[in-house]
Amino acid sequence: MTDQELLAAADAAAARAYAPYSNFHVGCAVLTRDGRVVEGVNVENAAYPLGVCAERTAFSRAVSEGFRPGDFVVAAITASPCGGCRQWLHEMGVERVVFRNGGRVVTMTPNELLPESFDSSKLA
Ligand code: THU
């Protein structure tokens, strides 16, 4: 599966977003090392802050199915990941992130997206 194909999967997933408040539909498709594709969408709530981003639903689903940080190769997202999701991308240990940003397709590492990040080593 190419990064382009994974982004196409994210695009298709975005159509299933539940975003009646923002009307901003986001899809995320994550490729695992064993070749699975796990998709997520943003899920909003009338109590606005309780909404969940597409990236977090994708990774929460993957972890619920037994995947763990380090099992992921690429995350493709239909939008530029928010700050909180950049922290999640770090934690999940993806090698690279491919996302749409203003008509461009950008590829970056989690470290480029969130340098000097907080991680478990700082908890010691
Ligand atoms: N959103 C995501 O799903 N992922 C991001 O990284 C950026 C923002 C969602 C949250 C909300 O449902 C909508 O986009 C508008 O902010």
Side-chain angles (χ1 to χ4, degrees):
M1 150 118 4
T2 66
D3 287 4
Q4 208 177 357
E5 288 169 336
L6 196 67
L7 191 54
D11 287 334
R16 302 192 300 271
Y18 176 70
Y21 307 105
S22 73
N23 282 314
F24 189 72
H25 290 206
V26 183
C28 175
V30 179
L31 179 67
T32 66
R33 291 200 185 284
D34 60 5
R36 272 278 314 279
V37 174
V38 183
E39 296 168 354
V41 299
N42 52 330
V43 181
E44 298 185 345
N45 193 282
Y48 296 167
L50 298 182
V52 186
C53 289
E55 297 92 318
R56 297 184 216 188
T57 63
F59 282 113
S60 296
R61 183 177 177 182
V63 168
S64 301
E65 292 182 19
F67 294 102
R68 285 292 177 271
D71 291 342
F72 308 109
V73 190
V74 195
I77 314 161
T78 60
S80 177
C82 77
C85 286
R86 292 177 189 220
Q87 179 74 27
W88 269 64
L89 290 159
H90 243 285
E91 182 84 21
M92 292 295 130
V94 289
E95 288 180 5
R96 61 186 182 280
V97 184
V98 181
F99 57 96
R100 295 193 187 285
N101 195 357
R104 292 178 307 140
V105 175
V106 182
T107 303
M108 294 177 78
T109 64
N111 204 48
E112 288 169 335
L113 286 167
L114 190 66
E116 302 288 334
S117 68
F118 182 82
D119 62 29
S120 60
S121 70
K122 278 86 175 181
L123 293 172

